[in-house]
Amino acid sequence: QMKRPMSPHLTIYKPQLTSMLSITHRATGAALTGGMYLFAMHALVVPAFGWDFTAAINVIKGWELPWAAIVSAKWLLAWPVAYHTLNGFRHMAWDLGYGFNIS
């Protein structure tokens, strides 16, 4: 057996902007899907224990987090949604042939 690397192999390619955007798009999509499943399971299971969303918000308010922590948490929740949405529009534009300059 010859000791040649598998082709194509990640070690021979230089990372490109388009490949990094695509990988990040897939990662944010997977994270958003997982988050939605967790939220849905939470919404189904938690009421059985007598809790509701108001009680959960009151618990978080009780932690008295600093303003910077609250803003950071909101940004961490909003960034994947915004990125995945805007990058999805870019993917659709590329699928329709826009954004390419053939000269």
Side-chain angles (χ1 to χ4, degrees), residues 12-43:
I12 64 172
Y13 291 113
K14 189 175 7 169
Q16 299 173 349
L17 178 63
T18 53
S19 63
M20 293 297 112
L21 290 173
S22 180
I23 290 168
T24 310
H25 184 76
R26 291 173 189 221
T28 56
L32 290 170
T33 302
M36 287 299 278
Y37 279 121
L38 288 174
F39 182 78
M41 291 298 112
H42 178 267

Side-chain angles (χ1 to χ4, degrees), residues 33-101:
T33 302
M36 287 299 278
Y37 279 121
L38 288 174
F39 182 78
M41 291 298 112
H42 178 267
L44 290 173
V45 172
V46 168
F49 295 103
W51 274 50
D52 58 358
F53 289 110
T54 307
I57 290 172
N58 288 333
V59 168
I60 293 171
K61 284 182 180 179
W63 294 340
E64 297 180 4
L65 296 171
W67 177 81
I70 293 170
V71 170
S72 298
K74 288 179 179 182
W75 187 86
L76 286 172
L77 290 173
W79 181 82
V81 175
Y83 175 82
H84 192 76
T85 301
L86 295 174
N87 199 38
F89 289 138
R90 182 187 60 82
H91 268 285
M92 285 192 298
W94 281 11
D95 288 344
L96 294 172
Y98 296 108
F100 297 108
N101 186 8

